[in-house]
Amino acid sequence: MKTILFSLILLFVGVQTQAKSLDGGKKIKTKEVTIQTSGTCEECKYIIEAALKKTKGVKKSNYDLETKAVTVIYSLKKTNLEKVKMAIVESGYDADEMKADQEAYDNLPKCCKKGGMDE
């Protein structure tokens, strides 16, 4: 019985240790990611950031038009990377390897479509 109790205590301590980060033992609560997307103009920036703002768990986002990348900080408890990317896809834009939702893309302003700023 003592062996089982000791084993359970060791298991509990091991799980708690793994749940902590290396920086002072604090649990990691948020994650920052950079996602390549297909926006081309200020309107795209607004649409992408607005979609992310409505996404549960997203704390902050910033779309850089020059690099065509959006940096997102999100809560690990409330969402995950796939859901963050889906918010971008469902707003009509590519998100890394995920392609834009066609219906949403079709409803974007002309300037926001691929090649739209060239015309």
Side-chain angles (χ1 to χ4, degrees):
M1 184 67 170
K2 288 181 184 179
T3 306
I4 293 172
L5 183 58
F6 183 73
S7 296
L8 288 174
I9 291 171
L10 283 178
L11 179 64
F12 179 76
V13 170
V15 168
Q16 290 298 317
T17 302
Q18 288 180 351
K20 296 181 180 180
S21 69
L22 297 176
D23 59 348
K26 295 179 183 177
K27 290 185 181 178
I28 299 171
K29 297 179 182 178
T30 61
K31 185 170 185 175
E32 181 175 322
V33 295
T34 301
I35 301 166
Q36 288 300 129
T37 189
S38 55
T40 59
C41 64
E42 286 292 328
E43 184 72 19
C44 298
K45 177 179 173 67
Y46 174 80
I47 292 168
I48 291 167
E49 289 178 355
L52 289 167
K53 188 175 187 176
K54 291 188 280 183
T55 304
K56 182 179 178 177
V58 172
K59 304 287 187 186
K60 185 177 178 182
S61 67
N62 182 49
Y63 183 64
D64 184 330
L65 285 167
E66 191 173 311
T67 63
K68 294 190 177 195
V70 61
T71 302
V72 182
I73 298 173
Y74 64 92
S75 167
L76 291 169
K77 284 186 173 185
K78 296 182 180 179
T79 194
N80 58 47
L81 181 56
E82 184 176 344
K83 289 179 184 176
V84 170
K85 287 182 180 183
M86 281 305 298
I88 296 168
V89 166
E90 290 172 354
S91 68
Y93 298 91
D94 298 343
D96 286 338
E97 72 288 344
M98 298 174 74
K99 295 297 178 194
D101 175 83
Q102 189 62 50
E103 185 176 342
Y105 176 80
D106 291 343
N107 290 321
L108 290 174
K110 185 177 180 179
C111 62
C112 295
K113 295 181 180 175
K114 294 173 185 173
M117 293 300 290
D118 298 334
E119 297 174 10

